[in-house]
Amino acid sequence: MNWYIILLCIIIFEKGICFKNCKPNIAIIGGGIGGAASSHFLAELFKNNLNIDLYEAKTIGGRLATIKINNNEFEAGGSVIHSQNKYMQEFVKLLGLEHRSFSDKKTSIWNGNEIVFEESKWELLSLIKLIYKYGIQPFSLNRYTTSIINNFEKIYHLQDSGKTFTNISSFLLSINTEFPKLTQKSIKNVLLDLGYSEKIINEIVKTTLVVNYGQDINVHSFVGFVSLAGAAFNLWSVKGGNKKVPEHLIYRNKHLNVVPSYVIKIINIPQNDTQNLYEVHYCNQGSTIIMKAIYDIVILAIPLTHDQEFPIIFEGFPKNDFYSFEKYHETVATFVKADLKPHYFGLQEELDNILSCDPNKTIINSVGRLNSVDGIIKNSKVWKIFSNKSLKSKIINEMFSNVQETKQIFWKAYPEYSTKIHEAKFKLHDALYHVNAIEWIASAMEMSAIGARNVALLAYQDFFTKYCFEKIIKTSSSEKTSHIEL
């Protein structure tokens, strides 16, 4: 603990001075899981002694969204949550929401020419087929992936103790000194060095990356292991839709005001050597009138890339390199209510999930049978297809018969990963923070929540040491001066 924090505690103890007048005005830009989680953690840290304006240009939930097909809702964005995702588990419990487990589904891996692996409806037979095809390597790979995920869980203890990180390098280094190296080497090369066969890398590992991130085995190995963890069996989602988590976190917060607007500009207004204010310029949906508001803290819970839909101008900052990142990967989610044509995929009968290990040949990344977010449909005829490009009706008709309804959603879903990872910063300026910096390590709901807590801790600690501490010192000094004059 720093000396001035110790001194602050002594002054508070001796003088009985509280923080009632140290009430920050905070802007959160982005109403997805990152922005929602930030608002939650900030309210906890400041003990609700704060004001928050949350700016959302579109819909609360961001990349957590549902789509309606034939009067039923289906997950359209982030769909699965791992059982070890601590913050998502806690949010669901706090908000009184329910888990929705995934029913057993038959899955196959397709390379465009043939099915390279197909599960059986009998688990034991599937296990035998897996061993026959790949040996024991899938099991050792699962253990290795689990060890990395378990090691990563040290972040929860670090955050519970108040540890903060200004960039992703210090973040990874504090968890494990080997973790930064995982972002500098491709998952393919790491696994080859560990002795895994090209067959398992090109089929199983590549399939998880194609399905989860729309990308290949040249991505850095940390996101590769996160992708493998996302292929586990102990997955779940929120009953009623994962979007309920950000919605409930935001709308239950009495100290938060939702502003349905897009932010145009953020201006840095220096006050003195240690303090800054930020002027946010924004425009309401459906209006051309530009409005302004002043904040002590600004938290960006949006991607900062040059290709974002609502780019923000940063003015008056000594170093304006906030947009130094590459683009986000575009994924297309196509929803079809129809009957699957098994023969198109080289199958004899309909399967629930068909996963691609070569999207250049298959055109699609995956096709899967959907259940509604309420889990009420059996033998659903609604399918979700992930692809890197929009699907033409000709392709859809080749894959399906009796097509009754088709809808498409275009997502800027996650970063374009490589081994040339950027030094993404959580702290961009004095009191300007970026939640989504964590996505350059890996993109997932839990990662956004972890990034949100880190940013909330940074904002809280910076605010009190730079503002309230100074105010208390001045108050204490003033009291001593008055006493001498008397």
Side-chain angles (χ1 to χ4, degrees), residues 4 9 41 62 73 163 197 225 235 251 254 342 354 368 383 388 392 402 455:
Y4 48 84
C9 294
F41 290 126
E73 286 191 69
K163 180 71 174 175
S197 68
F225 286 119
L235 305 175
Y251 289 121
K254 297 178 181 178
I354 301 167
W383 303 81
N388 291 332
K392 296 180 180 179
N402 303 319
V455 161

Side-chain angles (χ1 to χ4, degrees), residues 444-460:
M445 283 177 260
E446 185 73 0
M447 293 296 283
S448 291
I450 291 169
R453 192 177 186 195
N454 179 55
V455 161
L457 284 164
L458 278 169
Y460 172 75

